[in-house]
mmCIF file of all heavy atoms in Angstrom:
data_model
loop_
_atom_site.group_PDB
_atom_site.id
_atom_site.type_symbol
_atom_site.label_atom_id
_atom_site.label_comp_id
_atom_site.label_asym_id
_atom_site.label_seq_id
_atom_site.Cartn_x
_atom_site.Cartn_y
_atom_site.Cartn_z
ATOM 1 N N LYS A 646 -3.870 -43.941 -22.310
ATOM 2 C CA LYS A 646 -4.693 -43.182 -23.133
ATOM 3 C C LYS A 646 -5.608 -43.933 -23.998
ATOM 4 O O LYS A 646 -5.006 -44.680 -24.919
ATOM 5 C CB LYS A 646 -4.037 -42.096 -23.906
ATOM 6 C CG LYS A 646 -3.093 -41.176 -22.997
ATOM 7 C CD LYS A 646 -2.258 -40.154 -23.744
ATOM 8 C CE LYS A 646 -1.490 -39.489 -22.817
ATOM 9 N NZ LYS A 646 -0.167 -40.456 -22.403
ATOM 10 N N PRO A 647 -6.967 -44.037 -23.830
ATOM 11 C CA PRO A 647 -7.704 -44.988 -24.569
ATOM 12 C C PRO A 647 -7.782 -44.751 -25.979
ATOM 13 O O PRO A 647 -7.865 -45.651 -26.731
ATOM 14 C CB PRO A 647 -9.170 -44.820 -23.865
ATOM 15 C CG PRO A 647 -8.976 -43.782 -22.836
ATOM 16 C CD PRO A 647 -7.603 -43.389 -22.702
ATOM 17 N N TRP A 648 -7.598 -43.566 -26.413
ATOM 18 C CA TRP A 648 -7.618 -43.305 -27.873
ATOM 19 C C TRP A 648 -6.407 -43.987 -28.436
ATOM 20 O O TRP A 648 -6.556 -44.587 -29.584
ATOM 21 C CB TRP A 648 -7.547 -41.779 -28.155
ATOM 22 C CG TRP A 648 -8.706 -40.916 -27.913
ATOM 23 C CD1 TRP A 648 -9.970 -41.376 -27.724
ATOM 24 C CD2 TRP A 648 -8.807 -39.452 -27.807
ATOM 25 N NE1 TRP A 648 -10.821 -40.414 -27.559
ATOM 26 C CE2 TRP A 648 -10.191 -39.220 -27.600
ATOM 27 C CE3 TRP A 648 -7.887 -38.610 -27.914
ATOM 28 C CZ2 TRP A 648 -10.560 -37.913 -27.404
ATOM 29 C CZ3 TRP A 648 -8.318 -37.135 -27.582
ATOM 30 C CH2 TRP A 648 -9.705 -36.917 -27.441
ATOM 31 N N LEU A 649 -5.272 -43.992 -27.785
ATOM 32 C CA LEU A 649 -4.067 -44.642 -28.348
ATOM 33 C C LEU A 649 -4.191 -46.222 -28.356
ATOM 34 O O LEU A 649 -3.772 -46.840 -29.182
ATOM 35 C CB LEU A 649 -2.789 -44.167 -27.682
ATOM 36 C CG LEU A 649 -2.506 -42.577 -27.840
ATOM 37 C CD1 LEU A 649 -1.324 -42.221 -27.045
ATOM 38 C CD2 LEU A 649 -2.334 -42.274 -29.238
ATOM 39 N N GLN A 650 -4.848 -46.807 -27.403
ATOM 40 C CA GLN A 650 -5.092 -48.105 -27.234
ATOM 41 C C GLN A 650 -5.967 -48.612 -28.345
ATOM 42 O O GLN A 650 -5.810 -49.612 -28.878
ATOM 43 C CB GLN A 650 -5.607 -48.564 -25.848
ATOM 44 C CG GLN A 650 -4.691 -48.400 -24.673
ATOM 45 C CD GLN A 650 -3.661 -49.608 -24.632
ATOM 46 O OE1 GLN A 650 -3.596 -50.460 -25.354
ATOM 47 N NE2 GLN A 650 -3.034 -49.705 -23.433
ATOM 48 N N GLU A 651 -6.950 -47.744 -28.665
ATOM 49 C CA GLU A 651 -7.952 -48.162 -29.529
ATOM 50 C C GLU A 651 -7.606 -48.036 -30.921
ATOM 51 O O GLU A 651 -8.201 -48.722 -31.858
ATOM 52 C CB GLU A 651 -9.286 -47.281 -29.344
ATOM 53 C CG GLU A 651 -10.531 -47.648 -29.972
ATOM 54 C CD GLU A 651 -11.159 -49.023 -29.460
ATOM 55 O OE1 GLU A 651 -10.619 -49.482 -28.416
ATOM 56 O OE2 GLU A 651 -12.035 -49.482 -30.096
ATOM 57 N N VAL A 652 -6.583 -47.208 -31.291
ATOM 58 C CA VAL A 652 -6.153 -47.077 -32.682
ATOM 59 C C VAL A 652 -5.350 -48.254 -33.099
ATOM 60 O O VAL A 652 -4.430 -48.641 -32.452
ATOM 61 C CB VAL A 652 -5.254 -45.862 -32.813
ATOM 62 C CG1 VAL A 652 -4.718 -45.786 -34.238
ATOM 63 C CG2 VAL A 652 -6.011 -44.522 -32.569
ATOM 64 N N PRO A 653 -5.861 -48.945 -34.209
ATOM 65 C CA PRO A 653 -5.153 -50.157 -34.529
ATOM 66 C C PRO A 653 -3.657 -49.952 -34.956
ATOM 67 O O PRO A 653 -3.416 -48.835 -35.674
ATOM 68 C CB PRO A 653 -5.904 -50.729 -35.848
ATOM 69 C CG PRO A 653 -7.175 -49.941 -35.721
ATOM 70 C CD PRO A 653 -6.917 -48.672 -35.170
ATOM 71 N N ASP A 654 -2.692 -50.730 -34.597
ATOM 72 C CA ASP A 654 -1.291 -50.590 -35.041
ATOM 73 C C ASP A 654 -1.311 -50.518 -36.564
ATOM 74 O O ASP A 654 -1.966 -51.493 -37.126
ATOM 75 C CB ASP A 654 -0.440 -51.784 -34.488
ATOM 76 C CG ASP A 654 1.000 -51.551 -35.033
ATOM 77 O OD1 ASP A 654 1.737 -50.722 -34.472
ATOM 78 O OD2 ASP A 654 1.241 -52.280 -35.972
ATOM 79 N N PRO A 655 -0.687 -49.559 -37.202
ATOM 80 C CA PRO A 655 -0.830 -49.488 -38.682
ATOM 81 C C PRO A 655 -0.407 -50.807 -39.379
ATOM 82 O O PRO A 655 -0.815 -51.097 -40.522
ATOM 83 C CB PRO A 655 0.021 -48.327 -39.050
ATOM 84 C CG PRO A 655 0.137 -47.648 -37.719
ATOM 85 C CD PRO A 655 0.053 -48.527 -36.718
ATOM 86 N N MET A 656 0.588 -51.532 -38.795
ATOM 87 C CA MET A 656 1.093 -52.671 -39.469
ATOM 88 C C MET A 656 0.340 -54.051 -39.066
ATOM 89 O O MET A 656 -0.078 -54.702 -39.946
ATOM 90 C CB MET A 656 2.695 -52.928 -39.040
ATOM 91 C CG MET A 656 3.521 -51.830 -39.585
ATOM 92 S SD MET A 656 3.561 -51.732 -41.308
ATOM 93 C CE MET A 656 4.409 -53.043 -41.832
ATOM 94 N N SER A 657 0.243 -54.276 -37.808
ATOM 95 C CA SER A 657 -0.449 -55.485 -37.342
ATOM 96 C C SER A 657 -1.924 -55.342 -37.243
ATOM 97 O O SER A 657 -2.685 -56.338 -37.202
ATOM 98 C CB SER A 657 0.043 -55.885 -36.075
ATOM 99 O OG SER A 657 -0.359 -54.973 -34.992
#
Side-chain angles (χ1 to χ4, degrees):
K646 299 176 189 73
W648 286 345
L649 296 177
Q650 290 277 16
E651 190 69 6
V652 175
D654 175 80
M656 297 298 286
S657 70

